[in-house]
Each structure stands twice: as structure tokens, then as C-alpha cells.
Amino acid sequence: MVTTHNLGFPRIGRNRELKFALEKYWKGELSEQDLLDTAGALRAQHWQDQTHLDWIPVGDFSLYDHVLDASFMLGNIPERVSALSGSELDNYFRVARGRSVADNSACSCVHAGEMTKWFDTNYHYIVPEFDKNTQFSLNASRLREQIQQAQRVQPQVKPVILGPVSYLWLGKSKDGSDKLELLDDLLSVYAQLLHELKNAGIEWVQIDEPILVMELTEAWKHALRKAYYQLQAAPVNLLLATYFGQLQDNLQLACELPVNGLHLDSIAAKNEVATIIDWLPSHKILSLGVINGRNIWKTDLTATLDWLEPIHARLKDRLWLAPSCSLLHVPVDLNNEQKLAADVHAWLAFAIQKLQEVTVLAKALNQGRDSVSEILQENNAAITSRKQSKRVHQVTVTARVREITDAMGTRQSPYHQRARVQRKKFQLPLFPTTTIGSFPQTQNIRQVRRDFREGQLAEPEYHQAMQKEIALCVREQEALGLDVLVHGEPERNDMVEYFGEQLAGYAFTDYGWVQSYGSRCVKPPIIYGDVAHIQPITTEWIRYAQSLTNKPMKGMLTGPVTMLNWSFVRDDQSRADTCMQLALAIRDEVLALEQAGIAIIQIDEAALREGLPLRKSQWNTYLDWAIRAFRITANGVRDDTQIHTHMCYSEFNDIMTAIAKMDADVITIETSRSNMELLDAFDQFQYPNEIGPGVYDIHSPNIPSVDSIIELMKKAAQRIPAERLWVNPDCGLKTRNWEEVRPALRNMIAASRYLSSHLSTTQVS
Ligand code: GLN
Ligand code: ZN
């Protein structure tokens, strides 16, 4: 018999119950007990939803983040909170977000743990902190309680824990000591944990080592061997889980580690399955992640069965089936969606539906396809409808992509020539000032957008209200004395959704929420078909804004790579192909803006870096098509049109040459938090075009002083000639309020004026 299981279920709830409970609790509007009750009820519901599986997961739920849970279970709690008063939960939230409810009045806030992306997903975890004195001690009481709770729903309960080696890998050594020195101590705590699990009646434990899909040095490979040779004495069966990629040079290692089973993401690593079956010792089970846990498409069940049947014939009872990874990365339940077009709805599967697919596949293998023939037929119909849908395939789009030429992505003249033309045209002062696009999204703006969306406000009134906001924003910027203005983006809820809604090929859900970090969720739009520009999206707003001022008005767009990386994408063509369609669509918008008389256009690529593959050896392939897509979008303009781009991540040293290849006239980036250290990269690499290193950390309510901005810019001017420097904030201002933004920008402009009158270009360059 084939066995079914799940690696992890989304935690937030069908209606984001966890988010709302957490946020209420943090405000002091919900008691700790009520919060824990909500969490308990959600877990119980999720187990109910999974009882059709042979094994249900426990330990996958978290109030904030599962890596932080691991830190607390292993007793690795930063010293800065351990002495503070309050409950364990208080400390948990202090590490997660800097404060707990207990801190609301008498603020004993501490700095929150660092947060970073969980592999190449959009989920963020709290980075474990280590130093050479770190000691671990087991506190598994929460996991034990949850196991008991789960066992009441179903006896076959499989705890999910983060493996010791991945746990170390994901953390950060605070004193530069070698994290691997901590392995021995950590392993003894893991051994203890596995004993406790045995005592709790546990038979199988899923132990996640996702770092097996990364490039590992010998030291880390050795650590994996050491860990699992030691843990093999544990009285439970270990299912070693890898996901998000291929094992490649770690394949043999993964097969040989002395555990009882291996889980493989057979969506990402399908081509390795045959080799793994050859390598895997015959006493081990193989769990295949055959349902994509990171995307929202229905699985082609018949095709999957065609592939699985011979594997099943070979492995028999040793075959387990599951989604490829935890379902944390997909929304909960498609049945919540009422407004999706019927055909698109039929093509999708969220967490609940994906688990049903697992069960159907297992039944087909165990009892023959006839036992599920109706479901297979229905599935077949949906798959065929998607393959043949006119809404998916538009020959004009694919033909246009085929006809893309390098010339389309190349500016008419090189930067230095364009710069001359642009200088003459714009007559900007030295150290010109600008912002990144959005201005405070006030209560009023949100209300107007909501009323319009809900049909309470007619189109003409909405239009008028938005124009009023734009006019206000332009007036503020003129009064402040900024050099290049923006319209302020009042009409945009989200930089991807806004454009997606107006392009062909995109669909939107009502409840398709996915956890990004803590209580923060995102609702990625779905690219289901060929993407095309239908009509100008932004021109009217920008043209209106330009009509109100003699200063240049910067048009504001989201770039193709960011549109791609923040959406659920098609699985029937490569990401590169989809990106090229997006590039053409946004290019049309760029040209429409130019046509409308807009002379400066910013194309945001906030998420460019996020798309980097897990393995460095694959970076260049990604960067090649991503940069090409940007160039196709941006570079069809005249020499006297100035292209800006913006990226809001701090580490870009390692992809600097790729960024330079985009050939934007101006790039604005985040730098102020690192005190311009980021610009160290410019010592090695001469960035050829203009650059605006952010001097105002918009994530903080603090107002930067004139002096601090001057200091930062002087540092920048040591590396980049002054005539190629801009002065601007780190990112958009939409989360700030005007009371903060006005003085901050006033200081920014004063600093720019000081710099242009006190520093001659020769002095600083
Ligand atoms: N133009 C966008 C804004 O200002 C950029 C946002 C971003 O980089 N994340 O809001
Ligand atoms: Zn940004």
C-alpha cells in the first residue's frame, strides 16, 4: 500500500484568523488564553482537513515562525530577552518583533531578531543567533502538547522538525565563531527530543534538511553525516525531508545517510528520481513530493499516474506520496473563492485540494485507476480545458515574443551621450533630489479606493478624488523644492496587483493569502495566460500630474521581473518566457508614457534579487533573462527620455555587473541603514551610470538630520563622481505619514543644496 502524508499545512486559517488574533493580542485586545485557543482551534481544524491522509503533520503550526519555534524548543533564546519579565510567549514575541504585549505600556522593547527569506520563497524566518558560548537545552513541552491534541484527531501523527544541520546553517554566528562547533551539543538535545517523541507514542518523525539542495562545502556535508550517524540510535523512524530543488552532488549523500526514509521534491527534482531509486538502500522508504506545494495549479493526475505506476511497481510499500514541500506557500482553500472565472477556478488547487490530489493518486495506485475514474475524468477535463483555452493562449503574444530582437533592448546611444542630452533638457542641479514614488497613503486615500472598489463611489467621483490627492502631493513636493516629482501613487493598493489587474492574462483571488512573515500575508496574483498590454494604464494620472508643474514628473511602473517574482506563475511555460511577455507589456506602457510627453520614467525592480536561484551556479542563467527582460521593457525610448530603476534590497554587490547591464540612466537603492557600506562594492566595480543611494530609512519613523544626510552623501561621493549622484529616500513613502515625511524631505533637500554649493565636482570626484 502507498502511504500518504503532508509536510506542513498553512497556519493562517481560511480567513486569516491567526493574523487577526495575533494583531489583536499584540494590541492588548485579546488575552493570551484567547490567542492560544484560536491557535488550538485552527490546528484542530487543519488536522480535521487532513484526516484522509495516513499521517498528519504536527509541529508545522507556528504562532509566528517555525524556525523561531525551533530556537525556543532548543533553548536557544537570545540573552537580551532571557532576563526580561513576562511569560515565555512574551519573550517569543520580543525576539520575533521587538516587543510583546507586556511591553506596551512600560516599554522594555528589545531589538527583534533578524528576519530573512526562507530559501527562495517569499516566507521569512527569524534568524537563530549563535556565539561560541551558545548552549542548547530541550523544551519540547509545546510540541508534546500539540502531539496529544493531534492524536485525539487521528492516531497516526508525524511530528515535523527542522533538522539540526539546516538549523545551524540558517542561523548567524554573532561573534564570528564557527557554527559547526555547536553541532555536538545540539545533537545531544536532538537525541533527547527524539526520545521524548518516542515516549509520546511517535513512530515516524519528519526531519527537514532542505540545505541538501544547496551547494555545500565538505564541512557541511560532514556535519550531515555526523548528525545522522549519531541520530540513528534514536528509537523512532526518521524521514529525512528535502525540498525546493535538486540534490545534484548531494544525491549520494542524501541516499546514504542512515535514516529510514527520504522525501524528495519530485516537482523540482523529477529527473533525479530514477537515480535515487537505484541508490536508495532497500530498507528505506521513498516519499515523493508529486504535488507542487509552491504553486496553485491542479496536478495532471493521469500524467502523474503514468509516471508513478512503474515506480510503484518497483517500490511497492516503500512508496509514500506527499506535496513537494510544506503547503505554507499556497492559500488554504479554493472553495472560498467566489469571484474567479469558472474556467480559471477549475484549473486551480489550493492546500485542501492539493491534499485531496495526494489521496486520489494513492487510491489509484492502491486500488487501480478505476476506483477513482470519475475524479480522473474531471481532472482530465480541467487539464485539457486549460491546455486549449483561448484565454491562455494568444498567438499574437507568442509571436511578438518570438520576434524580440537585441536591438529592442538597446538604447540608441550609450549612457554618456544620453546623459549630455538629458542634462541639457532637464537642467537639474548637482545632487538632484527625488523620491521613490509613493507618498503617504492616508486614511482618506484608502477610504476612497475602498468605496470605489465596493461600488459606493462612481468612476467620475473616484477619478476626481484621486486627482485631488495627486494635486495635493504635487503641491507638497513643489513647496518642499524637490527637483524631480512623482504623482504619489494614491490609486495603487499594491505595485504588482495594480498593473496585473489591467493586463491580459492575470487573475485575482479574494482569499488567496499566503504568509510572508508573522501576521503579514500577501495575496499574489495569478498569471494564467499570455500576458498583454490592453490599453495605457498610468498615462492619464501621470499626464495630469505633469500638467500641474513645470518640474519633470517621473512616471512610475513596476518592472517585468518584479511582476513575475511576486505572482503565482504558469507552469506550462518557463519563467523566462512569461517574463518576456511581461517585458513587452510593460514596454508598451513605457512607450505610451513617452508618447504622452513624460520624460522621466522609473521602472521598479524591487524583487529582482529575490528570483536568484538557490545554487550560485544557476545565477547567471536567471540574470541573463531577467536583465534582458528589463532591457526590453526600458530601452526602447529616445535618448532624451531618462530611465530610472529602483531596487530595495541591500545586498547587490554580487550582482553588480548584471545591474549595470540594465543600463538604466539612474538607479536608486537602499543604503542608509548600512551607513553606505553597501557602496564598498563600488571600490571594485565602477558603476557607469547615475545612482541615488537612499539617505532616508523609510522603515523607521526617525527623521534623518541634515548633517547625517550630508555625511552619507560625502561617503557616496568618495566612490561615485558627484555629477552622477542623486539624493533620495531608500524606498517609497506610503507607510509613513506626512508629519514625518515633510521634515525628512526638507532635511534631504537642504543637504542636497549644501552639497551642491560646497562641493565642486572636482573636489568630490
Ligand atoms: N514605487 C514604489 C513605491 O514607492 C516602490 C516600492 C518598492 O520598491 N517596494 O512605493
Ligand atoms: Zn523599494
Side-chain angles (χ1 to χ4, degrees):
M1 292 286 265
V2 173
T3 299
T4 57
H5 71 123
N6 181 21
L7 276 67
F9 196 84
R11 307 145 183 170
I12 51 174
R14 283 174 169 77
N15 298 304
R16 286 180 292 159
E17 292 89 338
L18 181 61
K19 170 195 178 69
F20 299 120
L22 280 169
E23 290 174 359
K24 265 194 171 161
Y25 172 73
W26 292 332
K27 279 196 224 141
E29 294 167 7
L30 195 75
S31 70
E32 177 167 332
Q33 196 50 53
D34 285 344
L35 173 66
L36 297 180
D37 287 349
T38 303
L42 277 170
R43 283 195 299 269
Q45 174 66 54
H46 300 161
W47 288 319
Q48 275 305 337
D49 290 332
Q50 301 176 82
T51 45
H52 58 94
L53 300 174
D54 295 318
W55 293 94
I56 56 172
V58 58
D60 54 332
F61 185 87
S62 174
L63 283 174
Y64 201 95
D65 161 44
H66 61 275
V67 182
L68 184 61
D69 292 357
S71 289
F72 272 71
M73 183 167 74
L74 299 167
N76 181 25
I77 302 167
E79 231 172 69
R80 62 181 181 281
V81 303
S82 49
L84 298 179
S85 61
S87 64
E88 196 194 358
L89 195 64
D90 284 323
N91 275 345
Y92 179 80
F93 287 130
R94 283 180 182 126
V95 184
R97 51 192 290 278
R99 54 161 61 196
S100 81
V101 201
D103 306 325
N104 280 353
S105 46
C107 189
S108 49
C109 310
V110 291
H111 72 88
E114 198 180 310
M115 192 167 68
T116 195
K117 272 161 65 76
W118 173 248
F119 297 89
D120 58 350
T121 73
N122 198 17
Y123 176 80
H124 300 73
Y125 70 93
I126 303 289
V127 179
E129 299 173 28
F130 305 120
D131 60 42
K132 64 177 193 310
N133 299 319
T134 300
Q135 283 187 346
F136 302 97
S137 61
L138 185 65
N139 177 3
S141 54
R142 235 170 329 157
L143 181 58
R144 271 199 323 261
E145 259 169 54
Q146 293 182 18
I147 289 172
Q148 279 176 8
Q149 197 192 0
Q151 282 164 336
R152 285 198 287 272
V153 180
Q154 174 167 324
Q156 298 223 97
V157 165
K158 177 200 65 179
V160 176
I161 58 179
L162 182 55
V165 188
S166 290
Y167 177 73
L168 284 180
W169 166 283
L170 291 165
K172 197 167 174 176
S173 161
K174 293 278 156 179
D175 59 359
S177 59
D178 182 2
K179 294 186 280 185
L180 285 174
E181 297 278 317
L182 305 172
L183 185 62
D184 284 328
D185 186 33
L186 186 59
L187 287 178
S188 64
V189 175
Y190 268 82
Q192 222 180 314
L193 170 64
L194 296 176
H195 265 99
E196 284 205 17
L197 293 179
K198 166 76 185 168
N199 293 338
I202 293 302
E203 196 181 325
W204 276 96
V205 175
Q206 173 191 324
I207 191 156
D208 290 5
E209 291 289 5
I211 63 163
L212 276 162
V213 306
M214 311 278 288
E215 281 144 347
L216 298 177
T217 60
E218 265 319 307
W220 285 95
K221 288 184 193 176
H222 178 71
L224 280 162
R225 260 181 230 115
K226 179 171 181 177
Y228 290 92
Y229 277 94
Q230 271 189 40
L231 295 179
Q232 70 176 317
V236 287
N237 292 326
L238 293 182
L239 175 65
L240 182 74
T242 73
Y243 36 80
F244 299 150
Q246 302 177 351
L247 295 169
Q248 295 189 9
D249 54 330
N250 300 326
L251 187 145
Q252 192 178 343
L253 171 65
C255 290
E256 285 173 358
L257 290 175
V259 289
N260 310 80
L262 177 68
H263 172 85
L264 182 81
D265 176 339
S266 65
I267 298 295
K270 191 171 179 184
N271 61 332
E272 294 183 334
V273 172
T275 321
I276 286 176
I277 294 176
D278 288 341
W279 272 97
L280 203 69
S282 60
H283 64 276
K284 288 192 192 178
I285 68 106
L286 178 62
S287 162
L288 291 181
V290 290
I291 305 292
N292 193 335
R294 298 183 58 170
N295 212 334
I296 39 61
W297 303 107
K298 240 179 210 167
T299 305
D300 183 339
L301 295 177
T302 304
T304 309
L305 281 173
D306 290 344
W307 177 70
L308 272 177
E309 276 166 351
I311 294 176
H312 179 225
R314 215 170 135 187
L315 291 175
K316 305 201 174 65
D317 290 355
R318 290 167 57 214
L319 177 63
W320 287 30
L321 292 185
S324 59
C325 58
S326 163
L327 296 172
L328 182 63
H329 312 289
V330 292
V332 182
D333 186 1
L334 183 65
N335 290 331
N336 266 3
E337 300 298 329
Q338 306 296 336
K339 290 209 283 280
L340 276 173
D343 53 355
V344 178
H345 195 282
W347 302 335
L348 304 179
F350 293 176
I352 296 277
Q353 289 71 34
K354 283 173 184 288
L355 292 174
Q356 280 155 3
E357 293 182 340
V358 172
T359 295
V360 171
L361 288 174
K363 191 163 177 201
L365 293 176
N366 289 334
Q367 300 172 29
R369 293 194 196 198
D370 284 351
S371 66
V372 289
S373 59
E374 245 170 71
I375 301 175
L376 291 183
Q377 252 169 37
E378 217 175 285
N379 175 266
N380 236 328
I383 300 294
T384 312
S385 126
R386 185 174 160 217
K387 272 189 192 145
Q388 296 173 350
S389 168
K390 293 210 172 60
R391 270 149 55 75
V392 172
H393 306 281
Q394 295 200 32
V395 281
T396 45
V397 177
T398 31
R400 242 187 114 191
V401 168
R402 258 198 317 272
E403 281 150 25
I404 291 178
T405 59
D406 284 347
M408 287 167 70
T410 310
R411 295 290 294 260
Q412 287 164 7
S413 312
Y415 164 75
H416 63 94
Q417 277 178 40
R418 300 186 319 250
R420 224 176 301 134
V421 182
Q422 291 168 14
R423 249 173 225 139
K424 213 153 128 205
K425 175 168 174 179
F426 299 120
Q427 297 285 326
L428 295 171
L430 207 51
F431 296 101
T433 55
T434 190
T435 63
I436 307 304
S438 57
F439 268 86
Q441 296 245 328
T442 57
Q443 275 293 334
N444 186 53
I445 293 179
R446 288 172 202 277
Q447 186 67 45
V448 170
R449 269 209 318 259
R450 195 172 322 128
D451 289 350
F452 178 53
R453 202 177 52 231
E454 289 168 4
Q456 315 259 8
L457 198 68
E459 167 91 42
E461 281 76 45
Y462 168 74
H463 219 86
Q464 244 173 14
M466 282 297 139
Q467 287 198 338
K468 210 169 118 197
E469 294 296 341
I470 291 172
L472 266 172
C473 185
V474 172
R475 225 174 301 140
E476 289 275 3
Q477 294 173 81
E478 292 221 297
L480 284 162
L482 282 153
D483 298 311
V484 172
L485 311 194
V486 296
H487 80 298
E489 305 182 20
E491 78 288 11
R492 302 183 191 176
N493 40 352
D494 174 275
M495 63 191 285
V496 171
E497 192 167 73
Y498 178 74
F499 288 94
E501 274 170 353
Q502 304 188 60
L503 295 173
Y506 262 97
F508 297 86
T509 62
D510 289 324
Y511 301 97
W513 296 100
V514 177
Q515 188 179 16
S516 171
Y517 64 89
S519 67
R520 273 288 287 264
C521 302
V522 293
K523 192 154 63 70
I526 297 169
I527 304 179
Y528 67 83
D530 289 333
V531 175
H533 191 252
I534 301 167
Q535 58 188 27
I537 300 167
T538 59
T539 46
E540 249 204 279
W541 301 122
I542 311 289
R543 199 167 26 191
Y544 172 72
Q546 181 67 84
S547 76
L548 304 171
T549 178
N550 293 323
K551 298 218 166 145
M553 176 61 57
K554 181 161 65 165
M556 197 59 59
L557 305 174
T558 302
V561 189
T562 300
M563 295 290 294
L564 182 86
N565 286 342
W566 285 347
S567 302
F568 283 120
V569 297
R570 292 169 66 171
D571 58 354
D572 58 344
Q573 66 182 22
S574 70
R575 294 174 78 85
D577 284 342
T578 303
C579 198
M580 234 34 92
Q581 295 183 355
L582 283 160
L584 286 174
I586 310 288
R587 174 187 171 95
D588 290 348
E589 187 66 16
V590 170
L591 297 177
L593 278 172
E594 184 180 59
Q595 190 77 42
I598 303 304
I600 304 187
I601 300 165
Q602 177 174 313
I603 305 162
D604 290 326
E605 283 295 17
L608 181 96
R609 196 172 208 291
E610 287 188 16
L612 282 173
L614 288 174
R615 287 175 190 262
K616 248 191 161 145
S617 57
Q618 290 159 4
W619 280 19
N620 278 340
T621 313
Y622 164 75
L623 287 170
D624 280 352
W625 60 254
I627 300 307
R628 180 170 152 86
F630 180 88
R631 291 175 59 109
I632 298 298
T633 299
N635 291 349
V637 295
R638 299 190 309 259
D639 279 354
D640 64 344
T641 298
Q642 188 172 70
I643 295 289
H644 290 218
T645 188
H646 164 72
M647 286 171 203
C648 49
Y649 45 76
S650 32
E651 283 161 47
F652 63 114
N653 303 8
D654 45 2
I655 57 167
M656 185 80 99
T657 34
I659 291 176
K661 275 198 206 136
M662 293 162 78
D663 200 22
D665 296 299
V666 183
I667 178 170
T668 56
I669 49 168
E670 174 191 323
T671 36
S672 69
R673 244 180 301 176
S674 74
N675 204 13
M676 295 281 158
E677 268 166 30
L678 280 167
L679 298 186
D680 288 352
F682 289 78
D683 291 340
Q684 272 93 54
F685 180 83
Q686 295 292 312
Y687 185 74
N689 304 1
E690 288 160 53
I691 183 158
V695 290
Y696 164 18
D697 175 7
I698 62 94
H699 295 101
S700 151
N702 300 341
I703 314 292
S705 68
V706 180
D707 285 347
S708 72
I709 298 173
I710 292 175
E711 276 321 299
L712 285 174
M713 287 307 297
K714 277 186 176 163
K715 279 192 179 174
Q718 285 162 5
R719 291 167 173 111
I720 298 136
E723 64 271 14
R724 288 203 264 121
L725 282 174
W726 286 64
V727 185
N728 46 261
D730 266 349
C731 193
L733 301 167
K734 74 174 178 196
T735 55
R736 304 257 63 92
N737 60 49
W738 279 105
E739 281 60 47
E740 296 158 344
V741 163
R742 274 190 212 102
L745 294 182
R746 215 173 281 135
N747 289 352
M748 198 183 88
I749 292 160
S752 145
R753 299 291 175 261
Y754 173 91
L755 289 162
S756 56
S757 57
H758 285 75
L759 294 184
S760 77
T761 52
T762 45
Q763 227 181 325
V764 289
S765 55

